[in-house]
Amino acid sequence: MAALQDKYKELIDAATEANTTDLKVSELDGVLHIDGIAPSGAVKDQLWDIYGKIDPNFLTGDVVMNINVATAVEGAKLKVVTESSNLNVRQGPGTDQPIVGKAAHGATVTLISKQSDQWWLIRTDSGAEGYAYAQYLQPIE
Amino acid sequence: MTMKLKLLSTLILSMGILFMVSCKSKPKDADIQAAVTTALQSTPGVSADVKDGVVTLSGAVASQADKDAAEAAVKLNQGVKSVVNNVTVTPPPPPPAPTPEVTADDALKTSVASIVKDFPGIQADVKDGVIIITGEQKADRWKKLKIALDALKPKKVDASGLKVK
């Protein structure tokens, strides 16, 4: 029980010190689960850097870290952080849903609401509203 | 005659005072019981039994401090000669360890598929809440993928079959 928390002590301590809210550290079948809401995207990046330092390339598979960012609230401006392509904006939450618009790589969109951790309802600059994958959206701080 | 009556009434009066005084210095067990029960209201779980001014405490509390507090509260009451403290200390069981939330396989499979399609060279499988990743990927791309996969609340992300370039 304690061995995993010892190994990732620096990570847990950093999350605590950075005022990560709703921080939950639990274990299930030899995997440490770290959940919480970081006060900024920078803190989330910092935590992932520490994780990557303790477990290079995240290959051990003994941690599942789900850190959300507190600034990703309704009305927030989000940057489209796709690899290079446009981000599909869909009618509903799911890749099987018809595409109603596209947001360009690097463009800014507005968060309307979060349907789930994965699917966020957004509005593009051109006014199109629909669901996009949260993984490609980063709050602008 | 009047002298005699005066003497008698004085005698009765003094006897009465004596009786009252003796009564006050020796409270009845029932009175002690009432006072002690009130005193024990601050330490729930402890009950008292009074006999001839001896208070016997019984019950169970969470700590030694609570046990001592119960005894101290009882001792303060008038008429209590001694306290037999039979209270047992039972520490409360530790709270159950928190367990993480894990997404069901069907929901997990759909989400994993929609993420992994943007990562050519990666194959993913889902079994019993575990995402199994195989293939090849550059380190920075794999980090992005791992962040996205962890957000799906899997039980584990098994990347032992992944080659990081």
Side-chain angles (χ1 to χ4, degrees):
Chain A
M1 172 88 186
L4 265 179
Q5 298 201 17
D6 276 354
K7 180 180 173 186
Y8 290 100
K9 189 177 184 302
E10 189 189 345
L11 180 58
I12 297 166
D13 287 352
T16 310
E17 278 160 27
N19 294 321
T20 304
T21 48
D22 294 337
L23 184 63
K24 194 176 132 202
V25 179
S26 54
E27 277 182 50
L28 184 67
D29 296 344
V31 179
L32 189 68
H33 289 250
I34 302 170
D35 295 275
I37 302 164
S40 69
V43 169
K44 179 179 175 173
D45 290 346
Q46 179 210 351
L47 295 178
W48 275 94
D49 287 346
I50 296 171
Y51 173 18
K53 198 180 76 183
I54 301 170
D55 179 23
N57 284 331
F58 320 101
L59 289 175
T60 314
D62 54 2
V63 166
V64 169
M65 183 161 77
N66 180 21
I67 299 290
N68 289 307
V69 178
T71 47
V73 292
E74 288 165 26
K77 296 287 178 195
L78 307 169
K79 192 180 169 191
V80 177
V81 287
T82 48
E83 194 64 11
S84 60
S85 57
N86 293 332
L87 176 65
N88 289 332
V89 180
R90 295 175 185 273
Q91 201 174 63
T95 45
D96 54 344
Q97 296 286 318
I99 296 169
V100 295
K102 283 183 186 291
H105 168 75
T108 301
V109 299
T110 308
L111 178 63
I112 300 171
S113 66
K114 289 178 181 175
Q115 202 271 338
S116 65
D117 281 350
Q118 278 78 51
W119 290 98
W120 291 357
L121 182 60
I122 59 159
R123 187 184 304 115
T124 65
D125 274 354
S126 57
E129 280 184 17
Y131 293 86
Y133 215 76
Q135 183 201 340
Y136 301 112
L137 297 167
Q138 201 174 67
I140 299 168
E141 284 150 15
Chain B
M1 179 66 184
T2 35
M3 219 23 204
K4 226 176 179 181
L5 194 69
K6 213 174 182 179
L7 197 72
L8 192 70
S9 60
T10 311
L11 195 72
I12 290 168
L13 197 70
S14 53
M15 269 174 73
I17 290 167
L18 200 73
F19 178 76
M20 275 170 73
V21 167
S22 68
C23 189
K24 203 174 181 185
S25 66
K26 270 182 108 181
K28 286 180 203 151
D29 283 351
D31 296 337
I32 300 173
Q33 180 78 60
V36 161
T37 306
T38 309
L40 284 175
Q41 271 170 4
S42 56
T43 44
V46 178
S47 58
D49 196 31
V50 185
K51 205 181 174 197
D52 299 331
V54 177
V55 181
T56 305
L57 295 179
S58 56
V61 291
S63 70
Q64 182 65 40
D66 286 349
K67 180 179 173 172
D68 294 344
E71 185 173 332
V74 164
K75 266 184 179 165
L76 292 172
N77 290 282
Q78 206 179 27
V80 175
K81 284 184 194 155
S82 62
V83 178
V84 179
N85 197 342
N86 288 340
V87 171
T88 53
V89 176
T90 330
T99 47
E101 232 181 283
V102 173
T103 309
D105 277 6
D106 286 346
L108 202 53
K109 267 182 191 160
T110 314
S111 303
V112 167
S114 62
I115 292 177
V116 167
K117 70 169 175 49
D118 294 323
F119 292 82
I122 289 282
Q123 293 84 47
D125 198 10
V126 173
K127 203 184 170 196
D128 299 330
V130 178
I131 304 172
I132 302 147
I133 295 293
T134 49
E136 268 190 11
Q137 197 69 211
K138 281 183 182 161
D140 61 328
R141 290 287 290 156
W142 160 235
K143 184 179 180 179
K144 271 193 177 157
L145 178 58
K146 165 78 171 157
I147 293 173
L149 294 177
D150 278 13
L152 302 176
K153 299 190 172 80
K155 195 172 171 186
K156 178 182 178 166
V157 177
D158 182 352
S160 52
L162 175 74
K163 199 176 155 198
V164 177
K165 290 188 280 187

